[in-house]
Amino acid sequence: MKRMNTLAHFFFPRVSNHHKAKILHPSSLLVVSILFVTMQLVLRATPISHSQPSVLGYAAQISTNEVIRLTNEKRAAAGLPPVAFNQLLTDAAKEKGQYMIDHDFWAHVAPDGTEPWFFFQKHGYKYRYAGENLARDFSSAGAAIDGWMASPSHRENMLSPKYKDIGVAVVEGDLAGSDATIVVQLFGTLLSDSEPVPIAKAASNISPTTQPVKGVASNISPTVTPPPTEEPKTTVPSNETQQLVANNEPVASASGISLFLSQFETTKGISLAVLGLLFLVTAIDGLIIFVKNMKRRGGRSFAHLAFFGMIIVVVIILRAGKIL
Amino acid sequence: MLTFGRHIQHYLPLFAIFIVGICGIFFFPYDASFQFAVTIAIACGYVSWGIVHHYIHGDLEAYIVAEYASVAFVGVVIIFSLLFL
């Protein structure tokens, strides 16, 4: 009986809570917020979501082949020729992704100043044009592609007619204390490519220096007309330049275990549960007061309901994954 | 709820704030910072609406402001968690 009274005190308007469900009092809502943040911190620190990236990561669902296929699908829809798989760019993408994990950063330019173009050059890809898209924590290749396509600057990279080659890598590891699955998408056109962009047209794309703009649309054209003697030292073997490579397996599939649980989805579920409870209690609270035709001190139940409803819609809209 | 039918015009700005906010979040899924800024703006708009609404009705007091602020705070904390934690 005492337990029922306590529950009623928290969830229904009555004399003991000044005719407003206790959980809707400002002090209780503050406690709910603090508990929610604490839960988040515990979730981040818990071993199951932190130290077993191969189990909890999303990489098994992201195939680099699929990223390339979908990219070319988008290009085809835009009337553009496909970009071709390039092993050098793929190696550069892998190293860039691993570099981010090893140096614990999430950016185009590393804290030590290492730029994306360093990886192009290190792997012997001498570019006329180069671009980089980054994504993390998406649940599938399609979700990452959709994320990039929704951003004007990333879409510009994906749908640029200047690019002829592509390299994609999916790298998994610990990033700033969280399990992260990073997708690195590199675009490029070789300096030795036989179809240079006309100078008059290219001029509009030239940066005054060879420093690329820090940001998502990192297009760089180091020179208008490449020095004739500066041929790439590493040429791409013909058998490496293919549309797709069949043996490009997803990163985490080798782990053999796929328990697709992410902190985002967990947080989303808990958020919806908390908001659903608050919405329900507010609705019942408002209904009881309405039926009893009572006057009480407090905010408008309908306004609170609308606010909680709006937040529920936002939570449903939000998708996992970040792009850069 | 009691006053909604009689004061629907008071709620229209509130709904407008919510709809614009949802649109902002929906159409900019690639920019988490912007989405969070929109959430903060919605929360501020909500608290402001509450203050104006109760001021007009002559029953504005600190407890009511605290109630609107705490409701808004819950929403902001949840969205922040989803965007950044």
Side-chain angles (χ1 to χ4, degrees), chain A residues 150 297 299-300 304 310 323, chain B residues 30 42 46 53 61 67-68:
Chain A
R297 184 181 68 150
R300 299 281 179 257
H304 296 337
M310 185 274 303
I323 58 173
Chain B
Y30 51 87
I42 294 172
Y46 174 66
H53 179 81
E61 54 180 291
E67 187 176 310
Y68 279 93

Side-chain angles (χ1 to χ4, degrees), chain A residues 26 28 46 48 55 64 83 100 107 143 153 160 163 178 187 197 206-207 213 216 223 232 264 282 297 300 304 306 311:
Chain A
S28 301
T46 190
I48 194 169
V55 174
T64 54
V83 282
M100 283 194 283
S153 49
S160 172
Y163 299 133
S178 293
F187 295 98
V197 175
I206 301 289
S207 302
V213 177
V216 288
T223 56
F264 180 85
T282 305
R297 184 181 68 150
R300 299 281 179 257
H304 296 337
I311 294 293

